[in-house]
Amino acid sequence: MSNAGTKHLHHLPVSVIYFFGALGGLLFGYDTGVISGAMLFIGHELNIANGSFQYGFLTASTSIGAVFGAFFIGPLSDRFGRRHLLITAAIIFFFAALGSAFSPEYIALVSFRFCLGIAVGAASSLIPTYLAELAPAERRGTVGSLFQLMVMTGIFFAYVFNEWFSPQGGLNLSESISWRWMLGLAAIPAAILWIGAIYLPESPRFLVRKHDEKTALAVLRQFNPDEAVVQKDLSDIKAQASIPSGGWKELFGPVARPVLVMAVGLAILQQVMGCNTVLYYAPTIFISAGFSTHFALQSHIVIGIFNVIVTAVAVSIMDKVNRKTMLIGGAIGMAASLFAMSTAMLLLHAGNGNVGSWIAVIGLTLYIAFFSATWGPVMWLMIGEAFPLNIRGLGNSFGAAVNWFANFCVSETFTVLLVAFEPKGVSNPEGQGIARLFIVYALFCVFAIWFVHKKAIETRHRSLEDIESGLRERAAEKGYDPETGQPK
């Protein structure tokens, strides 16, 4: 398989390889974003009451599947290769999307959405690793953040096709058909990814671990024309690949511990700062701020466009600004935006309607801008590039699984917390509940500033092997063997 990958490599421009490598992110974004529109019509046809356990479990089934997909894909990719597993994920995406579209009843739909979640979780763990291992150090930030750009593009497409395929949309479809088109459309990019992944090269790090240095050298030359740099990279990779493959003991051992703490912390904080809640519930927030339902639904599409634009800007500067600086700056901006939005919504319910409404809209927009430019792409990028080679797949899987579990917990507790924060005995308490809940999310943003400053490891413009050497040197300074992690 590696020889076939090398043969096809010379027929694909590097930009095309990066595009197909990141394309799974589009499916990730589309399949997680499309369900919000589809559920408006699925419930009617399958007799699922809004707010019922069945309703909530259908929306949560993808997140649950993503936890499993993220958890298992890393160890499998360490054994079978990044490229093989990317092809497998594309196949799962394809058949799960078609299965969801043609599901005759509730159990079948939940089952296919769970399978879709497995592919989503696999993509979220596998793609950042794959891109990080392909790209030269000086371009790794830009290339790695293409994944998040694809995610945001997928979410935007989900919003557009939710509107287009709805009964009131341009195609005038019935409710029973509209949601099936929404869910089934994901099969098209899945098929494109499936075909494209066949022609992608294997990761040079994986190839060296499998003793295929000739193919690894050819792959490195494709991505970097400087022969001296290529030979040095190959030498460094061989040195790291000579260390035996690790498992759970090594993941929680002294060498990887600083990265594990960083990965788990960033994965949880990205969710508890409210990112997906704001994106998913943006129409509800607009309505609570006093705008019409039509304005709220149209704004969802505008938010999708804005997300893509801001993420594209972030991609262009990713290798020009330190990762930690971006995360800290983003957390400051997100905290300030959430505090402003919460204050505005409280003012709205105190009688300052017009001013409060527009400040809330501006605060929401700025929050999304700061998230899309920083924590959205940088979190996945840093997890994908920081773990040692011998446990990289396992470590990235663990970080992605933690992120998806946090996603599930935040999404499932949102409505419960909303009710808990609503004041009693006032008219329209929901808006005040959202305002108070977002203050909690803002406080997590403040905590994130401290966490990144103290616990994150700077990775910009450092080769993957240099990052790993730093971890092993740190372990040696604390009295551990730098290769085995055992006390000296």
Side-chain angles (χ1 to χ4, degrees), residues 308-349:
V308 174
I309 294 172
V310 172
T311 306
V313 173
V315 169
S316 69
I317 66 170
M318 194 63 65
D319 286 313
K320 300 176 183 178
V321 183
N322 283 345
R323 316 276 199 254
K324 291 178 64 172
T325 301
M326 293 187 72
L327 289 177
I328 291 173
I332 293 172
M334 290 162 67
S337 301
L338 285 175
F339 280 128
M341 185 164 55
S342 299
T343 302
M345 294 184 75
L346 291 174
L347 286 174
L348 173 67
H349 292 279

Side-chain angles (χ1 to χ4, degrees), residues 1-5 73 76-92 122 126 130 193-194 196-203 206-207 210:
M1 181 63 72
S2 61
N3 290 333
I73 195 69
L76 290 173
S77 73
D78 281 341
R79 181 176 180 182
F80 298 108
R82 321 304 192 208
R83 177 172 165 271
H84 276 142
L85 272 297
L86 189 59
I87 294 171
T88 302
I91 293 172
I92 297 173
L126 181 64
Y130 179 69
L193 175 61
W194 185 355
I198 295 173
Y199 297 93
L200 290 177
E202 184 52 86
S203 159
F206 176 79
L207 291 169
K210 295 301 179 183

Side-chain angles (χ1 to χ4, degrees), residues 5 9 36 42 45 74 79 134 151 179 182 226 257 270 315 324 335 339 361 376 398 420:
L9 171 65
S36 60
I42 292 174
E45 182 174 354
R79 181 176 180 182
L134 284 182
V151 172
W179 67 269
M182 293 176 188
D226 190 327
R257 189 173 296 136
Q270 191 206 49
V315 169
K324 291 178 64 172
F339 280 128
V361 169
F398 190 79

Side-chain angles (χ1 to χ4, degrees), residues 146 160 253 263 273 387 397:
L146 290 175
V160 170
M273 290 191 294
F387 280 102
S397 276

Side-chain angles (χ1 to χ4, degrees), residues 1 3 19 22 32 54 73 85 116 152 173 234 278 284 305 330 347 368 372 419 428 443 450 471 483:
M1 181 63 72
N3 290 333
F19 170 80
T32 54
Q54 284 184 310
I73 195 69
L85 272 297
L116 198 63
M152 291 304 176
L173 300 176
L234 181 63
V278 173
T284 302
I305 298 172
L347 286 174
I368 292 172
S372 297
V419 172
N428 189 22
L443 292 175
W450 172 87
L471 292 171
E483 291 193 7

Side-chain angles (χ1 to χ4, degrees), residues 57-58 61-62 65 92 95-97 99-100 103 105-118:
F57 190 73
L58 179 56
S61 58
T62 303
I92 297 173
F95 287 106
S100 298
S103 292
E105 41 81 35
Y106 176 80
I107 297 297
L109 182 57
V110 167
S111 300
F112 281 115
R113 291 293 295 175
F114 176 82
C115 291
L116 198 63
I118 292 176

Side-chain angles (χ1 to χ4, degrees), residues 437-459:
L437 181 54
F438 281 171
I439 291 175
V440 175
Y441 293 155
L443 292 175
F444 278 117
C445 292
V446 174
F447 174 77
I449 297 169
W450 172 87
F451 180 86
V452 172
H453 177 68
K454 292 292 186 180
K455 302 297 182 181
I457 299 169
E458 185 56 58
T459 56

